[in-house]
């Protein structure tokens, strides 16, 4: 199939703001009973009756949070939704609605926004959330995306960051570090492309890492898994900024210490081999990388038998008295103070 070297480019100005909104949102369906009114009025109307409402919002800015040199717009739309839904999942709540706001410069034609919203629409359908509103405006410096996620839960189901206790076990879902190494691979290939635009990268051996970076998934399944095991976490957070940063958040808000064990970290084989290729210490990446969007939580030590051997979960440490501090226990049984070296958008 011959690639069209002159794809259609429709000026957004032709549609105007309201025409653009109508065009981009025509494929959004309403599936939640709690959505009384979605797009089309001055505000959305939700009815949660006796449920508690959980709300979280994130801002994604071109050049800070994503690079369009290797981030396809469809993937970006999908990821933008997922990273917000992950926050709802980290409250042990069920995501139900989102709002989407976008600021674009005039370098983006309508077709580019259609790709972005195709990814948003796919994520909304995959996670069964309604898109109920948002905003569009112009930007002088590229693409900006802001998504607000809304969820519901019964009061007794909600889990906060401040409930961890001294003897609790520290548990993580899935594996960690792969998203960061996926980013390193993409950054390397970008540099190669800048030197030789005719180069064609072979990324098959990094497929899992790249997928974890470009198309992460929120762990909406964990709420159901834990309910089936009759486990309610004592505290919970999602891993967006790096494992070390998230552990410190839990410890500070719960006023406890922690021992994290290096030999218990769940690492994917592709991640380990790529760390070796890049000559990077896998433990350093695993605890500081970020963007895994796995869930980190604590459970009562008496629930260990319920979770033991479950492939979805790894017990990676235990909480301690606050006076003991927060440490990584190495394979050599040496204690190293854990520091927050994860992602910080405001760092210089």
């Amino acid at each position: 199939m011959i690639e069209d070297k002159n794809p259609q480019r429709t000026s957004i100005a032709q549609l105007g703001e309201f025409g653009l909104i109508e065009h981009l949102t025509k494929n959004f369906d309403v599936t939640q009973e709690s959505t009384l009114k979605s797009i089309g009025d001055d505000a959305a109307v939700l009815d949660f009756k006796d449920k508690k409402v959980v709300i979280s919002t994130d801002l994604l800015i071109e050049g800070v949070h994503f690079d369009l040199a290797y981030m396809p717009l469809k993937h970006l739309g999908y990821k933008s939704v997922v990273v917000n839904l992950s926050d709802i999942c980290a409250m042990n709540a069920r995501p139900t609605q989102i709002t989407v706001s976008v600021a674009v410069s005039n370098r983006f034609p309508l077709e580019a926004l259609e790709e972005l919203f195709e990814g948003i629409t796919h994520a909304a359908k995959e996670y069964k959330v309604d898109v109920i509103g948002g905003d569009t405006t112009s930007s002088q410096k590229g693409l900006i995306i802001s998504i607000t996620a809304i969820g519901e839960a019964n009061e007794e189901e909600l889990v906060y960051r401040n409930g961890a206790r001294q003897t609790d076990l520290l548990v993580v879902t899935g594996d960690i570090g792969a998203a960061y190494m996926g980013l390193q691979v993409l950054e390397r290939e970008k540099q190669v492309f800048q030197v030789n635009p005719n180069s064609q990268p072979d990324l098959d051996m990094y497929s899992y890492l790249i997928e974890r970076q470009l198309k992460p998934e929120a762990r909406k399944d964990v709420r159901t898994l834990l309910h089936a095991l009759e486990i309610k976490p004592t505290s919970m957070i999602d891993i967006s900024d790096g494992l070390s940063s998230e552990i410190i958040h839990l410890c500070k808000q719960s006023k406890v210490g922690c021992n994290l064990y290096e030999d218990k970290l769940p690492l994917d084989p592709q991640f380990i081999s790529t760390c070796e290729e890049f000559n990077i210490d896998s433990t350093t990446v695993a605890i500081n990388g970020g963007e895994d969007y796995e869930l980190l939580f604590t459970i009562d030590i008496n629930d260990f038998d319920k979770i033991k051997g479950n492939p979805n979960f790894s017990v990676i440490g235990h909480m301690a008295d606050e006076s003991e501090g927060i440490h990584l226990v190495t394979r050599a049984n040496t204690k190293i103070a854990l520091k927050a070296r994860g992602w910080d958008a405001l760092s210089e």
Side-chain angles (χ1 to χ4, degrees):
M1 185 175 179
I2 299 174
E3 181 183 358
D4 184 359
K5 299 296 184 182
N6 296 294
Q8 181 181 358
R9 290 176 62 89
T10 306
S11 170
I12 293 173
Q14 287 181 229
L15 284 78
E17 181 181 1
F18 296 112
L20 176 63
I21 293 170
E22 184 178 352
H23 182 86
L24 294 176
T25 61
K26 63 186 178 184
N27 294 322
F28 292 137
D29 299 321
V30 173
T31 61
Q32 298 290 331
E33 289 184 11
S34 52
T35 307
L36 297 186
K37 180 68 178 179
S38 60
I39 298 168
D41 217 305
D42 289 307
V45 180
L46 309 179
D47 178 15
F48 287 94
K49 298 181 174 64
D50 57 347
K51 299 279 187 181
K52 299 301 178 184
V53 180
V54 181
I55 301 174
S56 180
T57 190
D58 265 324
L59 196 62
L60 290 90
I61 300 175
E62 183 179 355
V64 177
H65 300 98
F66 59 88
D67 187 338
L68 291 178
Y70 48 72
M71 170 63 83
L73 285 165
K74 185 176 179 180
H75 285 73
L76 177 60
Y78 190 91
K79 183 174 181 177
S80 299
V81 174
V82 165
V83 302
N84 281 272
L85 299 184
S86 182
D87 286 331
I88 304 300
C89 295
M91 300 294 293
N92 203 36
R94 184 175 70 89
T96 50
Q97 288 92 1
I98 58 171
T99 66
V100 180
S101 296
V102 178
V104 289
S105 67
N106 58 11
R107 89 173 198 268
F108 291 91
L110 174 62
E111 287 73 21
L113 283 183
E114 285 177 335
E115 279 190 55
L116 179 72
F117 271 74
E118 189 179 345
I120 292 171
T121 303
H122 181 56
K125 290 179 178 177
E126 185 73 20
Y127 285 87
K128 296 180 173 57
V129 296
D130 295 342
V131 183
I132 60 168
D135 193 17
T136 58
T137 189
S138 60
S139 163
Q140 294 183 336
K141 293 188 177 181
L143 178 60
I144 301 171
I145 306 168
S146 177
I147 291 183
T148 297
I150 302 164
E152 66 174 31
N154 294 322
E155 186 170 10
E156 65 272 13
E157 295 174 321
L158 289 170
V159 178
Y160 302 95
R161 295 181 182 181
N162 62 358
R165 299 164 303 203
Q166 289 182 25
T167 58
D168 285 351
L169 300 177
L170 185 66
V171 184
V172 70
T173 63
D175 60 80
I176 54 177
Y180 179 84
M181 287 311 298
L183 179 62
Q184 300 314 299
V185 171
L186 291 168
E187 285 285 353
R188 182 182 68 181
E189 295 307 320
K190 176 187 173 182
Q191 292 173 12
V192 171
F193 177 80
Q194 288 172 339
V195 174
N196 180 15
N198 294 318
S199 67
Q200 292 294 321
D202 181 6
L203 301 176
D204 286 347
M205 63 187 294
Y206 310 110
S207 57
Y208 178 67
L209 308 182
I210 292 172
E211 182 178 9
R212 292 283 279 176
Q213 172 58 220
L214 297 184
K215 190 178 177 287
E217 300 292 352
R219 294 303 304 260
K220 64 175 182 178
D221 58 325
V222 169
R223 184 172 183 261
T224 303
L225 289 169
L226 290 175
H227 181 75
L229 293 170
E230 298 182 343
I231 295 174
K232 182 188 175 183
T234 52
S235 67
M236 187 184 287
I237 191 171
D238 79 326
I239 305 176
S240 55
D241 300 328
L243 180 67
S244 58
S245 297
E246 315 304 3
I247 289 174
I248 290 170
H249 282 313
L250 290 184
C251 288
K252 285 186 174 180
Q253 295 204 25
S254 298
K255 295 181 171 54
V256 293
C258 179
N259 288 311
L260 169 68
Y261 292 89
E262 183 182 21
D263 62 350
K264 300 297 183 183
L265 296 174
L267 310 178
D268 184 82
Q270 193 175 104
F271 165 78
I272 295 171
S273 62
T274 307
C275 284
E276 292 173 353
E277 179 189 345
F278 277 70
N279 196 27
I280 301 175
D281 180 65
S282 60
T283 298
T284 301
V285 175
I287 66 175
N288 297 310
E291 286 202 296
D292 293 308
Y293 299 104
E294 296 292 345
L295 295 180
L296 176 72
F297 58 92
T298 54
I299 62 171
D300 189 292
I301 193 169
N302 293 318
D303 286 331
F304 174 68
D305 286 339
K306 298 178 184 177
I307 213 168
K308 180 176 61 176
N310 192 303
N312 295 287
F313 307 114
S314 298
V315 178
I316 58 173
H318 63 83
M319 313 316 275
D321 188 89
E322 187 176 17
S323 62
E324 287 190 36
I326 308 168
H327 293 93
L328 172 70
V329 181
T330 69
R331 292 183 179 89
N333 207 31
T334 302
K335 277 192 172 185
I336 301 173
L338 205 60
K339 295 183 179 179
R341 293 194 175 94
W343 164 253
D344 183 354
L346 300 180
S347 62
E348 295 182 1

